[in-house]
Amino acid sequence: GHLGRAGHPGAQLELGRHFMAGDRIKADPARALDYFRAAAASGSGAAAFELWEALAATEPSLALDYLRQAAESGLPEAMGELGVRLFPGSPDEALPWLKKGAAAGHVAAMAQLGGAFFGGRGISEKKLDARRWFRAAGQVFVPDGRGGAYFGGDSKGRVMHARADGSVRTLFDASEDEVRALALGADGALYAAALSASAVSGDEKAAEGPAPAQSAVGGGRSTVYRIVPDSSVVPWWVAP
């Protein structure tokens, strides 16, 4: 408490986290924000990121300023998050942050880079780069036949669509944890195999980034969905 009152940013950050979580003290979000603001004003990127997370829903413009501060401090999760947030409206500004975040292991930034490179929206890199980033993020993907790609993975049951113009959208959000395979059928529908257990290996070295598990995951529920983009999604097969 003394260090926090004395203006030590590390102590202010920790005090803010304790008050936000109610960890061993009574939760006090307003007081937590005061400590985060004080720490951020002293240059703490981690405190600025806490402010981004706390204010994103209610004060998005101010929150984005804090996110930018956190990214500029070199915080990996902030660099990747800033790139993801900026990309829809400012892909050129987003790209350097996406690359920095992806290089630091930010999975969403890797996936966004894959989608951006596949669509080529203001980006000159070849499709090979898209495949590299998709794989680095533990993503499975399949070209959509129109210059873009469908992809999924990253420990979430989402199927995403990177369109030819470089935009990325969520096509389907399955209740399962992981999308393990994607295929375009002869009928024009997209088939997505989802599993209710994580398909990302947790024993890889952090510097190498996440990678798909090398062995089957046991104890999970498997479902194959038939997806007609912008029309319908139905379970096509469920494991007995």
Side-chain angles (χ1 to χ4, degrees):
H2 173 70
L3 285 175
R5 289 190 297 271
H8 190 283
Q12 290 168 332
L13 171 64
E14 289 308 311
L15 280 169
R17 286 172 170 167
H18 284 305
F19 278 113
M20 185 62 75
D23 181 15
R24 295 179 295 213
I25 55 178
K26 183 179 179 180
D28 189 338
R31 194 170 180 185
L33 292 178
D34 286 341
Y35 276 116
F36 289 149
R37 290 188 186 100
S42 297
S44 171
F49 192 73
E50 294 282 359
L51 287 165
W52 148 254
E53 292 189 315
L55 300 174
T58 57
E59 299 182 64
S61 180
L62 177 60
L64 189 62
D65 289 340
Y66 281 120
L67 179 60
R68 192 182 298 276
Q69 177 186 337
E72 290 172 349
S73 77
L75 199 66
E77 57 266 39
M79 294 189 292
E81 186 68 24
L82 181 61
V84 170
R85 296 286 171 168
L86 289 176
F87 186 82
S90 305
D92 291 338
E93 183 184 4
L95 184 59
W97 292 115
L98 288 172
K99 287 183 174 180
K100 289 177 181 179
H106 191 278
V107 175
M110 294 178 190
Q112 182 70 77
L113 273 178
F117 288 168
F118 226 107
R121 182 179 176 185
I123 298 170
S124 60
E125 281 85 348
K126 297 178 181 179
K127 296 283 193 291
L128 179 62
D129 294 301
R131 291 176 169 84
R132 175 167 65 89
W133 286 116
F134 279 145
R135 288 175 179 136
Q139 303 280 321
V140 292
F141 64 96
V142 60
D144 66 1
R146 301 185 299 278
Y150 300 111
F151 65 95
D154 74 355
S155 300
K156 294 180 175 64
R158 293 181 297 185
V159 177
M160 310 292 288
H161 186 200
R163 290 180 283 202
D165 64 359
S167 61
V168 178
R169 62 173 178 147
T170 299
L171 193 65
F172 173 57
D173 195 347
S175 59
E176 288 79 12
D177 301 311
E178 193 74 35
V179 174
R180 294 299 302 268
L182 292 170
L184 276 177
D187 58 358
L190 176 68
Y191 291 83
L195 186 69
S196 62
S198 176
V200 176
S201 173
D203 57 5
E204 303 292 334
K205 294 180 181 178
E208 297 173 354
Q214 299 302 309
S215 58
V217 179
R221 182 184 73 252
S222 298
T223 305
V224 176
Y225 292 95
R226 182 180 184 271
I227 304 170
V228 179
D230 302 314
S231 178
S232 64
V233 177
V234 295
W236 184 74
W237 177 84
V238 179

